[in-house]
Amino acid sequence: MKDGGIERVAVLGAGVMGSQIAALMANAGLEVDLLDLPQGSDEAGRARAGLESLGRMRPSPLFLPEAAERIHPGSLSGTPELTRVQWVIEAVVEDLQVKRSLFERIAPGLGSSTLLTSNTSGLSIAALAEGLPADLRRRFLGVHFFNPPRYMKLVELIPGPGTDPSRTEEMSTFLRSRLGKGVVACRDTPNFIANRLGLFAVMDALRRMEVDGLTVEEVDAVTGPVLGRPRSATLRLCDLIGLDTLVHVARTARDGLEHDPGRDVFEPGDGVRAMVEAGLLGEKAGSGFYRRGEVGIEAIDLATLGYRARRSVRTPLPIRGHLGERLAAVTVGEDRLARFARDHLFATLGYCAFCAAEVADSLEDIDRVLRWGFHWEAGPFEQIDLIGASVLIKGLEEAGTEPPELLARVAASGARRVYGGDSGRRSVMAPDGGGHRPLRASGPPADADLLSGAEVLRECETARLVRLGDGAAAIELRGKLNVLGPGSLAFTRDTVAEGGFDLLVLTGAGEHLSAGADLRYVLQRIDAGAWAELDAYLQLFQKATAGVRYAPMPVVTAARGLALGGGCEFNLSAASRVAAAELRLGLVETRIGVVPGAGGCKEMVRRFGAEVDAFLPALQAGRMSDNALQARAWGFLDDSDDIRLDGDRLLEAAVTRARELVSGGWSPPQPRDLPVAGPDVLERLHAGIDAGAAEGRLGAHDAVVGKALARVVCGGGARGTISEQGLLDLEREAFLELCGTEATRARIAHMLETGKPLRN
Ligand code: NAI
């Protein structure tokens, strides 16, 4: 499918969203004109301020600070020059008249095939399109990004009455393949899907809180993980969004939904209104439902608008375990908080069922919106299947609400489920309840689908080999964070050695490539004093990464999520890499008091040779990249490696990359002697570490680990060159020696317990 050849875009409005959307586009390598109103006599003043605001945001919306050079601030006054861009993204204030008159002004300056989209949170696309020339109306649609656009997967796509379907398709392809977004097509109804249904959930909890007299903490305690929603639950989420924005967007729903049974829910209660009037708008105002007080977090008392220390809430409702069990506990719980959670859950799911046919073409789209846009563990219709439609119907009836027809149809269907269907195929109920139909994929198959559908050739507990077809296969690392224990290491070593394929992809199941060594295994060996076993584990690790490096066929990684420690070492050892742009990668071993022991040091020396200053600081600090472009700038990825914003779909690109290598005459690399920095540099590095320790910049154990690391990367102080095996031996020795120290043991144990590094 064409993506329209979009290479330059204009973003109109350099506020919260406009500037971040500009960053998203610049991250994707596009040139961006960022335009806003003049600031006094400074035509590009506001746009420049928007651009500068990016540098202050944490985490940064930009992958690399240099990407800002692709964003060109300019002015919206007069008739801005827009002929060079293929896509104009409007992100000015949420006001129909402002947006319309802006369109009127820019229309004459647009190229004849330029796309025009609005980032409106919920205004009518048809109303926005009124007044546009007919030709432009065919190229106009709603493209609704969520905040923060770098991280939020969801983009709602809302064609207007005159939009040319092929332009909508083109946009959808671009958003998915170039920006890596999850695209959901919505109907042009007030607030579309996310801000209708997700906001209903928020507003319903707010109203019930005021009616039932619950505290802020009580509401959050039972509307977060208990219901399969993020820990920010309801009120921390409100503080993040900003209460003024929330009330404004809710008003669009209320104004546009005259006969909607949920209409009153979109009306804020007295307490929320009073907060808005008092400027207690949330994080941006410093105070909202919560604020940071002198001695810690405080919560508001809605009756007085005063703040008091945050209280912890006890509830028997589970926050862990299978979501079905959590929801079941809510439906039968009898205490005050359980009743609140149940009434809120039923009202929310009931409302979703009520609106479904009006807002979406398919129920799975609604589920995707709530998962991608609000981070719910399961969408409303997946939740209805977990609870049971008949339980929900009964609950709504008891609350005096008429259950929507759709629920009755689900309950009357053969399997009594939204998903699954009578014939047991993967199907979903139609939004109007008119029977089940096959599920529709959102875009081309994701890697997870390809892997789960592929033929399994061999497997062990923590790894599988699957056939990808046409001489290609993939090793899939599995288990918790795909950590690398003896099982998956031996599996990888043997699979690569056995060959039988033209090419191999190395990837991880789920969200990550691998978080690295199996620390539990390592700690057990340390505690048992089983040094020979630990040495054998390291040797196996080195054989596995070396197997990947010297394999008779190219091994290409498809890496997303975490590639840390040993995961990073596999990535470094591959013939080439396809990486998700959001890859978090690093040789982070010093955080647990060891050095990279499976070829990580060797690979960095192979890349940088004697230039240790170019990579050693990253290893000493155990740095983890914020994204793949940063990792490349640090030298952990090569210029020829493929970095993709669509992190869900890397496999195919990895296979293509490997095929290119094969057809380009690739042959396995041979181990060689590597130039090393030698004794003088090592002496300088050690002196620097001693000085750092003396000045208190480095902890005592950091100095010990730092010196060991410096020794390895300098080739143990050898002059000239050292063999690759020589470097591997140095890595292993240093690793084992450090494992023998109490401080390293403490670091490993702490990491296992808390997931955080111990500074000792
Ligand atoms: P904002 O208030 O941060 O920025 C709006 C920008 O519009 C400002 O830079 C302002 O100078 C400019 N502007 C104001 N009046 C104008 C006029 N008459 N002509 C041209 N430009 C004008 O707003 P924000 O939050 O960036 O929202 C922009 C759009 O994105 C709105 O439609 C909003 O509903 C939507 N949106 C906002 C989200 C959010 O979380 N803030 C999330 C998703 C969509």
Side-chain angles (χ1 to χ4, degrees):
M1 182 59 61
K2 268 178 44 191
D3 68 13
I6 297 170
E7 293 303 335
R8 189 176 187 110
V9 302
V11 180
L12 315 183
V16 173
M17 287 304 282
S19 52
Q20 290 188 88
I21 292 170
L24 177 73
M25 302 295 160
N27 285 341
L30 305 172
E31 292 295 319
V32 188
D33 293 310
L34 178 61
L35 312 179
D36 206 316
L37 297 173
Q39 196 161 42
S41 61
D42 185 353
E43 283 288 332
R46 282 208 205 188
R48 215 175 318 103
L51 178 55
E52 282 160 9
S53 73
L54 295 174
R56 293 189 295 273
M57 292 185 193
R58 292 287 173 273
S60 171
L62 290 166
F63 287 155
L64 290 175
E66 302 86 280
E69 290 163 18
R70 284 196 283 276
I71 304 176
H72 314 284
S75 169
L76 264 184
S77 64
T79 309
E81 159 60 44
L82 295 167
T83 49
R84 287 187 302 169
V85 304
Q86 293 88 38
W87 178 15
V88 174
I89 303 160
E90 173 276 309
V92 301
V93 283
E94 184 78 341
D95 181 311
L96 187 69
Q97 289 317 324
V98 170
K99 289 183 194 277
R100 268 190 184 163
S101 68
L102 178 64
F103 292 158
E104 206 173 298
R105 215 147 43 75
I106 62 162
L110 296 183
S112 60
S113 66
T114 307
L115 283 156
L116 174 64
T117 68
S118 173
N119 192 51
T120 176
S121 298
L123 295 174
S124 155
I125 298 300
L128 285 169
E130 268 174 40
L132 292 181
D135 167 54
L136 185 52
R137 245 181 279 159
R138 285 206 290 278
R139 297 177 266 135
F140 173 69
L141 65 156
V143 173
H144 181 203
F145 290 93
F146 287 74
N147 192 11
R150 171 176 163 187
Y151 294 104
M152 295 299 288
K153 185 178 165 90
L154 179 64
V155 175
E156 290 182 324
L157 210 68
I158 315 102
T163 315
D164 176 348
S166 71
R167 302 307 304 265
T168 308
E169 192 58 39
E170 186 186 303
M171 191 78 264
S172 171
T173 303
F174 182 86
L175 291 164
R176 234 186 320 253
S177 62
R178 283 291 294 277
L179 303 182
K181 292 300 174 194
V183 181
V184 173
C186 303
R187 303 243 176 92
D188 188 12
T189 55
N191 280 5
F192 319 130
I193 301 180
N195 285 337
R196 172 90 170 268
L197 304 184
L199 202 65
F200 179 92
V202 171
M203 297 303 286
D204 181 76
L206 287 178
R207 271 187 83 80
R208 283 177 200 278
M209 168 173 77
E210 292 200 34
V211 173
D212 295 359
L214 261 61
T215 67
V216 164
E217 300 93 324
E218 284 173 335
V219 173
D220 275 355
V222 296
T223 57
V226 165
L227 298 181
R229 300 185 197 162
R231 283 158 47 92
S232 48
T234 301
L235 303 171
R236 274 174 59 199
L237 175 66
C238 291
D239 279 354
L240 271 172
I241 298 174
L243 255 61
D244 52 342
T245 307
L246 194 79
V247 167
H248 185 79
V249 179
R251 188 172 308 127
T252 312
R254 195 179 141 71
D255 291 351
L257 299 169
E258 248 180 81
H259 306 294
D260 192 88
R263 188 165 187 247
D264 290 344
V265 173
F266 289 105
E267 179 72 33
D270 293 341
V272 172
R273 247 201 305 263
M275 283 178 70
V276 174
E277 274 162 28
L280 306 172
L281 303 177
E283 274 191 8
K284 63 182 166 188
S287 310
F289 287 107
Y290 299 97
R291 73 172 186 193
R292 199 171 294 277
E294 270 169 26
V295 286
I297 304 292
E298 298 175 338
I300 200 166
D301 176 348
L302 268 191
T304 63
L305 298 195
Y307 288 84
R308 48 155 181 78
R310 181 170 59 175
R311 299 176 191 145
S312 64
V313 175
R314 281 178 169 293
T315 159
L317 296 174
I319 57 168
R320 285 189 200 87
H322 188 267
L323 179 60
E325 284 160 20
R326 273 175 278 157
L327 295 180
V330 168
T331 60
V332 298
E334 270 312 325
D335 76 337
R336 196 169 67 93
L337 293 183
R339 281 205 309 273
F340 171 91
R342 181 182 56 218
D343 292 347
H344 165 65
L345 175 69
F346 285 177
T348 303
L349 298 182
Y351 187 66
C352 291
F354 174 83
C355 299
E358 181 194 340
V359 301
D361 290 338
S362 75
L363 300 184
E364 79 248 51
D365 273 348
I366 296 179
D367 282 342
R368 285 185 186 118
V369 164
L370 275 306
R371 275 194 271 110
W372 293 344
F374 282 82
H375 294 302
W376 288 11
E377 239 174 278
F381 294 98
E382 291 159 337
Q383 292 184 36
I384 289 172
D385 276 352
L386 290 172
I387 294 172
S390 47
V391 172
L392 179 54
I393 291 172
K394 191 158 161 271
L396 288 169
E397 282 170 349
E398 279 169 11
T401 309
E402 194 184 330
E405 179 65 24
L406 173 61
L407 292 179
R409 295 198 174 204
V410 173
S413 70
R416 305 204 171 125
R417 292 170 55 84
V418 176
Y419 288 93
D422 301 349
S423 61
R425 283 167 49 209
R426 283 292 288 159
S427 62
V428 61
M429 178 69 90
D432 62 0
H436 284 76
R437 62 187 187 203
L439 282 182
R440 265 187 312 197
S442 154
D447 291 356
D449 300 326
L450 292 175
L451 290 168
S452 67
E455 180 193 352
V456 179
L457 298 168
R458 294 199 309 126
E459 65 184 317
C460 69
E461 213 176 305
T462 50
R464 307 196 311 176
L465 176 71
V466 301
R467 192 194 298 283
L468 297 178
D470 215 4
I475 297 175
E476 183 192 29
L477 303 169
R478 297 165 68 88
K480 193 175 176 200
L481 297 172
N482 305 332
V483 295
L484 300 157
S488 50
L489 294 175
F491 187 93
T492 305
R493 177 199 58 189
D494 297 345
T495 303
V496 174
E498 274 169 31
F501 299 96
D502 300 339
L503 60 99
L504 271 176
V505 176
L506 178 66
T507 192
E511 291 172 40
H512 307 290
L513 178 65
S514 169
D518 182 347
L519 294 186
R520 201 164 296 284
Y521 180 87
V522 173
L523 187 63
Q524 280 165 359
R525 298 299 158 296
I526 292 175
D527 287 346
W531 302 111
E533 269 184 60
L534 193 54
D535 188 26
Y537 171 66
L538 279 177
Q539 297 213 30
L540 174 60
F541 220 136
Q542 293 189 341
K543 289 222 165 63
T545 54
V548 164
R549 172 143 177 79
Y550 305 116
M553 76 297 268
V555 181
V556 175
T557 50
R560 64 176 65 81
L562 299 176
L564 302 179
C568 180
E569 292 176 305
F570 270 116
N571 210 47
L572 287 165
S573 302
S576 184
R577 287 143 287 274
V578 176
E582 294 289 352
L583 182 66
R584 310 212 62 194
L585 175 147
L587 291 173
V588 295
E589 283 83 349
T590 57
R591 295 182 182 202
I592 51 153
V594 293
V595 300
C601 296
K602 184 258 297 174
E603 279 302 310
M604 295 315 275
V605 174
R606 202 174 59 72
R607 282 167 167 75
F608 290 94
E611 304 296 320
V612 288
D613 292 337
F615 69 90
L616 191 56
L619 270 56
Q620 275 170 331
R623 244 181 250 155
M624 169 162 59
S625 72
D626 168 76
N627 61 78
L629 280 99
Q630 189 181 59
R632 177 151 75 189
W634 292 348
F636 288 91
L637 296 175
D638 296 342
D639 288 345
S640 59
D641 291 335
D642 188 359
I643 297 177
R644 306 188 145 238
L645 268 92
D646 186 359
D648 292 338
R649 296 175 182 82
L650 305 174
L651 264 189
E652 212 181 287
V655 171
T656 306
R657 179 83 194 108
R659 286 201 201 291
E660 283 165 7
L661 291 175
V662 173
S663 61
W666 178 90
S667 61
Q670 298 300 320
R672 57 186 168 90
D673 288 346
L674 303 173
V676 281
D680 300 343
V681 174
L682 180 57
E683 204 173 304
R684 167 173 65 80
L685 291 172
H686 277 189
I689 290 169
D690 284 337
E695 289 160 19
R697 279 184 286 115
L698 281 180
H701 198 54
D702 285 333
V704 172
V705 178
K707 282 188 171 181
L709 181 64
R711 204 177 135 68
V712 176
V713 299
C714 289
R719 281 189 198 281
T721 61
I722 185 169
S723 69
E724 293 193 14
Q725 187 56 49
L727 264 175
L728 289 174
D729 291 343
L730 286 171
E731 284 186 10
R732 230 177 48 245
E733 278 164 26
F735 190 108
L736 285 170
E737 198 178 306
L738 288 165
C739 281
T741 64
E742 191 43 47
T744 288
R745 190 213 165 269
R747 284 191 183 188
I748 296 175
H750 190 264
M751 179 61 77
L752 273 169
E753 230 166 78
T754 66
K756 298 197 177 80
L758 174 70
R759 291 264 156 256
N760 61 348

